[in-house]
Amino acid sequence: MKLSNIFYSHTGRNSGKWKHYFDYYDRHLGRFVGKQFTLLEIGTCYGGSLQIWKKYFGPGVKIIGIDIDPRTKFEEPQIYTEIGSQSDPEFLMSIINKYGTPDVVIDDGSHIQNDVMSSFVNLYPRLNDGGVYVIEDTHTALWSGYNGGIKNPNNFVEIASRFAMDVNREFAEEHYVTSIPDLKEICFYNSMIFIEKQKTPKAEPCYVGTKPY
């Protein structure tokens, strides 16, 4: 079932998403449906999204939500929540130690650019091979109130755009220092970024047909 159908039929805790997010989630996370894996979501608000992920992925998913607001604390089968800051490396590592390394991380937290970067730096390296790191509401990278702006060096969209070069790192003729050596794919959408982690072999050309001369 599509994520949008599950979202609009949800009657549990409150949740809110931009309408165009659903197709992107189906495209990048649909392969996890019915599988056993761990999902970590930063920013739980009322907890509805955690319940929706459980319905979407099925009984094999373990869901951990983290938030700085103590009022967001709740648990139910498959869902665990912890209170702490996404910019606190020690707190994030305590989550990894307690629940294991995640396969999917969704950052729907403060959206402040420094926090987005801090979470990424601390959590992406712990993401399992084949995992996906998602950042929501990246339009905040354009807003000064979130320490963003077109020319702001903290603008995470601008920083992440440099990672795209890592996908083609093996073809660099000049000296090139890779930011993310295990980056398989990075996709930019309206207000979202999906980053897929996987150790991939070098590209190999292949040919078919007969030379005409």
Side-chain angles (χ1 to χ4, degrees), residues 37-39 95-97 99-104 125-128:
F37 73 101
T38 299
L39 182 151
I95 298 299
I96 299 296
N97 292 334
Y99 296 101
T101 52
D103 300 279
V104 174
R126 277 80 183 179
L127 193 68
N128 285 328

Side-chain angles (χ1 to χ4, degrees), residues 153-187:
N154 297 305
N155 179 330
F156 189 80
V157 174
E158 175 66 25
I159 293 170
S161 69
R162 303 169 201 164
F163 301 160
M165 195 69 71
D166 292 346
V167 177
N168 297 293
R169 55 192 175 275
E170 65 188 274
F171 298 105
E173 292 183 334
E174 305 161 69
H175 175 67
Y176 177 68
V177 178
T178 303
S179 299
I180 308 178
D182 49 10
L183 174 64
K184 178 185 178 182
E185 177 178 291
I186 181 166
C187 294

Side-chain angles (χ1 to χ4, degrees), residues 25-179:
Y25 272 122
D26 284 331
R27 184 180 306 172
H28 290 274
L29 301 186
R31 61 186 171 89
F32 290 96
V33 172
K35 303 292 180 58
Q36 287 192 332
F37 73 101
T38 299
L39 182 151
L40 171 62
E41 182 165 44
I42 302 169
T44 64
C45 192
Y46 300 105
S49 63
L50 305 180
Q51 294 179 325
I52 290 169
W53 292 132
K54 183 170 75 169
K55 294 177 184 177
Y56 180 62
F57 292 113
V61 63
K62 179 171 64 176
I63 300 168
I64 302 96
I66 63 174
D67 203 290
I68 61 172
D69 188 344
R71 295 175 298 176
T72 63
K73 182 73 174 176
F74 85 101
E75 287 190 5
E76 63 180 55
Q78 297 179 241
I79 295 176
Y80 311 87
T81 57
E82 300 287 348
I83 305 303
S85 173
Q86 71 177 105
S87 63
D88 181 351
E90 291 186 5
F91 169 67
L92 295 179
M93 289 310 98
S94 73
I95 298 299
I96 299 296
N97 292 334
K98 183 174 181 178
Y99 296 101
T101 52
D103 300 279
V104 174
V105 173
I106 300 172
D107 183 351
D108 188 21
S110 74
H111 307 304
I112 296 172
Q113 299 305 288
N114 305 69
D115 290 347
V116 173
M117 189 64 184
S118 178
S119 298
F120 181 77
V121 167
N122 286 287
L123 291 176
Y124 181 86
R126 277 80 183 179
L127 193 68
N128 285 328
D129 191 48
V132 181
Y133 197 102
V134 187
I135 303 163
E136 288 194 2
D137 298 348
T138 52
H139 55 269
T140 55
L142 304 175
W143 294 352
S144 60
Y146 290 81
N147 198 26
I150 294 293
K151 296 183 179 180
N152 191 317
N154 297 305
N155 179 330
F156 189 80
V157 174
E158 175 66 25
I159 293 170
S161 69
R162 303 169 201 164
F163 301 160
M165 195 69 71
D166 292 346
V167 177
N168 297 293
R169 55 192 175 275
E170 65 188 274
F171 298 105
E173 292 183 334
E174 305 161 69
H175 175 67
Y176 177 68
V177 178
T178 303
S179 299

